Amino acid sequence: AVGGRGPLAAEPMDEDAQAGALAHSAAGSHAGGSGAGGSGDLFREVGDIVEGVLIATGFSEERTAKMDQDDFLKLLAAFNEKGIHFAGC
């Protein structure tokens, strides 16, 4: 799960756990994987993917309070196509 919390959302994840979760989410979406540059490069790469998805879907300037369920499903599908998957427990 991406978002800074563990699977049960009982306590925050530390930076290494967050990097691992992001690496797992982004695995396979790019030939280079997480790269040799460390978690800083990974965070930048994931940030670039997120920004690209938001721009491509037209939601980069949208407030979540103004989005409906269809908007969220469109956004979720776009993230899934880029290899970023969100899961709830």
Side-chain angles (χ1 to χ4, degrees), residues 3-78:
R5 296 236 174 236
L8 300 178
E11 57 187 70
M13 294 170 64
D14 63 27
E15 189 172 316
D16 290 336
Q18 286 178 359
L22 288 172
H24 179 71
S25 294
S29 65
H30 295 287
S34 61
S39 65
D41 290 340
L42 176 62
F43 284 120
R44 240 182 321 283
E45 180 180 353
V46 172
D48 290 345
I49 293 169
V50 169
E51 185 176 3
V53 167
L54 291 172
I55 291 169
T57 56
F59 295 125
S60 62
E61 300 295 323
E62 191 74 32
R63 303 275 305 179
T64 56
K66 303 293 182 188
M67 296 172 68
D68 62 20
Q69 185 175 7
D70 290 334
D71 293 336
F72 282 108
L73 290 174
K74 179 181 175 185
L75 191 57
L76 181 62

